[in-house]
Amino acid sequence: SSRPPRPAGLPRRPLARRAGGPRPSRGAMVIKTDLCAYTEYRIYPGRGQRFVAKDGKTSFFISSKADALFHQRIKAVKLRWTQAWRRMNKKGKADEQAKKRTRKAQKFQKAIVGMSLDDIKKKKAMKPELRAQAKEAAAKEAKARQATKVKVAPKGGAKAAPKQQAKGQKMPKAAGGGAPKAGKDFKGKK
């Protein structure tokens, strides 16, 4: 079996590689993939349907199912098998779980009624013995004020008694006094 002579200008055919031999080292093969406009799945070459709307906007769908759902205006977020639903419901992102840490509530002080923030800080800084002394002094001062009030009250005489009654309890209402209430008995324009 003799071969016909090879024409002069043509390159030699590569030798056939042995079945078990090593593969020639090349980079990984890059395949151009698109994303489905509805499901966000990868679409490999030879798959999918392209839809061109009247305004010229093109959409590429992975299947006729995705195309049909898109045209029925069913939101991808409402379907559990779409990437949009998974993103909305925080599924499949284990990396973020490690990054998340619970933050401790930071303590901070606010001024309260009758005391500024500086006064509160001074009180906290004071030693317990000094604080106890200050408390006693304040109690004595309050007692002294009460004593002066009791001394002033008898001078008023009859005027002081009704005021105390008004503070302590309600005055009884007059039986028929006051304006009539709107209701069944009210006769007039409504």
Side-chain angles (χ1 to χ4, degrees), residues 69-80:
L69 289 166
F70 174 81
H71 285 96
Q72 288 172 45
R73 293 197 171 94
I74 292 171
K75 292 178 182 171
V77 176
K78 301 215 172 179
L79 299 172
R80 289 189 67 167

Side-chain angles (χ1 to χ4, degrees), residues 49-61 67 70-71 73:
Q49 294 182 354
R50 191 174 298 279
F51 169 73
V52 182
K54 286 180 186 176
D55 62 354
K57 188 180 175 188
T58 60
S59 301
F60 201 28
F61 301 109
D67 185 17
F70 174 81
H71 285 96
R73 293 197 171 94

